Amino acid sequence: MSEAVAGAVAERFEELYGTGPEGVWAAPGRVNLIGEHTDYNDGFVMPFALPHVTVAAVSRREDGVLRLHSADVDGGVVELRLDDLSPESDRGWTAYPAGVVWALREAGHTITGADVHLTSTVPSGAGLSSSAALEVVVALALNDLYDLGLKGWQLARLCQRAENVYVGAPTGIMDQTASACCEAGHALFLDTRDLSQKQIPFDLAAEGMRLLVVDTQVKHAHSDGEYGKRRAGCEKGADLLGVNALRDVPYDELDAALARLGDEEEVRRLVRHVVTEDQRVERVVSLLESGDTRAIGPVLVEGHASLRDDFRISCPELDLVVDTALGAGALGARMTGGGFGGSAIVLAEAADVDTITKAVQEAFAAAAFTAPRVFEAVPAAGARRLS
């Protein structure tokens, strides 16, 4: 992130509010390498941060007013009173930064107001955590400006609460933790139960490989009902099996657990996905730590099949990316994110990137789908102050 970008954002802030900001911060979107819909089941995930970021210029206020402006949304400055903030009172984009302020105040932190200007390069609705980047950048800025002393994982928890309670989207903790805590050149092995973390080196370029993100341009929203239904089904499965969360069902006891669920076929599918997906995360960690990076490709493919067939959250566009990429020589591919649209990832030899990209683009054209957006994902730094 260049000084020029921070300078341009600060300049726009001054145009809007009449004085320069106290600072400029950035927080990234993320790609999840493996571990989908495991985070709200107390399981394992393995995201890494993208170079795509949400940038915020912020200053404190003392009058209980929150003023918000986004370069990416039509309209002017939105003014809110802190004492009026309440869960699910706002269904627009301002719910995310306002929710963070609400969550901080609910947790007992003194926030007396802020002026905020935002801009983002994280694609919205693409399954790359644009909402988490927005939440985390505001939380980090307020943490610094108000000297709250909160660590990255604590900010992530508060941002998750903002999205769950204030926005009304039942997301897990992965997205916010990835945005707050990832390191450049690494994937983050995260245990979502206790938030213990391990940074796993992930430098594909050094091994002659690339990871592509294919944004299908099919938009999704986590606050829509299907995501919540899957979460409720997982909670039902845990209750029927007598465990705190599906993470507590051992992989080697999965068949017995499924048998105990009897004719609860939908719940059986959800349980099977979560338990096998946790095991896939552990396999990928082991392969990366042993230097056998190419061997993670088939594990990604297994994960896609599980999300498509058991969790049932894929869509024709995502399936077409995966099938076409594999047919064109990819090492592995799968949908990533919450599902029902968004993006897929493709692991490929560097020499095959152009061939695979062209094959996917041609397949979309032949199917009369909207042209996908394809770009390389390089593990980048987590949230930080720019100036």
Side-chain angles (χ1 to χ4, degrees):
M1 178 63 62
S2 68
E3 293 182 6
V5 173
V9 174
E11 184 176 326
R12 179 62 175 136
F13 180 99
E14 188 167 358
E15 292 174 1
L16 290 164
Y17 298 119
T19 185
E22 292 184 79
V24 179
W25 291 260
R30 66 96 187 97
V31 161
N32 192 24
L33 182 63
I34 193 74
E36 221 65 78
H37 288 268
T38 50
D39 58 346
Y40 55 79
N41 289 290
D42 281 3
F44 304 124
V45 294
M46 199 174 187
F48 63 87
L50 289 168
H52 304 71
V53 294
T54 296
V55 180
V58 185
S59 285
R60 289 168 289 183
R61 297 178 64 89
E62 305 296 330
D63 58 357
V65 170
L66 175 65
R67 295 195 293 182
L68 301 166
H69 181 268
S70 171
D72 310 303
V73 179
D74 291 336
V77 174
V78 177
E79 184 170 312
L80 304 169
R81 292 207 58 83
L82 301 190
D83 289 344
D84 294 337
L85 300 181
S86 62
E88 300 192 53
S89 58
D90 178 4
R91 306 306 297 173
W93 73 269
T94 57
Y96 296 94
V100 168
V101 175
W102 171 84
L104 285 167
R105 283 162 52 89
E106 282 286 299
H109 301 291
T110 300
I111 306 291
T112 56
D115 286 337
V116 182
H117 168 60
L118 297 146
T119 187
S120 182
T121 59
V122 184
S124 177
L128 304 175
S129 298
S130 58
S131 60
L134 174 53
E135 293 157 358
V136 169
V137 75
V138 172
L140 180 62
L142 296 176
N143 183 55
D144 288 354
L145 290 176
Y146 282 96
D147 197 25
L148 303 180
L150 299 171
K151 299 183 183 300
W153 67 268
Q154 293 172 306
L155 293 177
R157 280 286 194 211
L158 286 165
C159 289
Q160 183 200 16
R161 177 166 169 75
E163 189 152 352
N164 288 172
V165 180
Y166 196 93
V167 178
T171 54
I173 190 64
M174 173 182 67
D175 296 350
Q176 293 85 358
T177 306
S179 186
C181 300
C182 278
E183 295 181 4
H186 293 75
L188 179 68
F189 177 36
L190 174 68
D191 182 335
T192 65
R193 170 163 282 169
D194 61 11
L195 295 191
S196 59
Q197 305 174 18
K198 187 175 184 180
Q199 301 287 344
I200 308 295
F202 191 56
D203 185 359
L204 293 177
E207 300 186 59
M209 287 176 286
R210 300 289 187 272
L211 190 76
L212 302 178
V213 174
V214 182
D215 177 4
T216 65
Q217 305 286 345
V218 177
K219 302 301 181 185
H220 71 163
H222 280 168
S223 53
D224 288 350
E226 290 300 318
Y227 186 101
K229 288 178 184 176
R230 300 306 188 280
R231 182 164 186 167
C234 290
E235 291 169 352
K236 181 178 180 180
D239 184 59
L240 290 172
L241 292 170
V243 295
N244 290 327
L246 293 184
R247 180 257 182 79
D248 296 314
V249 179
Y251 177 75
D252 59 5
E253 297 177 16
L254 175 59
D255 288 345
L258 295 177
R260 288 168 55 198
L261 292 171
D263 60 359
E264 294 277 358
E265 183 55 35
E266 183 175 350
V267 175
R268 283 163 54 90
R269 289 197 306 268
L270 299 179
V271 170
R272 182 165 52 226
H273 166 72
V274 172
V275 176
T276 58
E277 186 79 346
D278 273 335
Q279 194 253 2
R280 280 187 285 272
V281 177
E282 293 182 297
R283 285 163 61 195
V284 168
V285 171
S286 178
L287 289 167
L288 291 178
E289 289 186 327
S290 66
D292 196 5
T293 304
R294 283 172 174 80
I296 73 172
V299 187
L300 302 184
V301 178
E302 288 177 27
H304 183 77
S306 183
L307 290 162
R308 180 193 64 211
D309 300 336
D310 277 342
F311 232 67
R312 299 189 179 187
I313 57 170
S314 189
C315 66
E317 291 85 351
L318 288 167
D319 293 341
L320 185 60
V321 174
V322 172
D323 294 341
T324 303
L326 294 174
L331 297 167
R334 74 172 190 91
M335 61 156 287
T336 187
F340 313 106
S343 299
I345 56 174
V346 178
L347 179 67
E349 301 287 359
D352 294 335
V353 165
D354 291 344
T355 299
I356 293 168
T357 300
K358 182 180 179 182
V360 170
Q361 291 169 336
E362 290 178 347
F364 268 57
F369 292 153
T370 300
R373 178 180 180 225
V374 184
F375 60 92
E376 183 182 350
V378 179
R384 66 271 190 197
R385 186 168 188 164
L386 301 179
S387 66

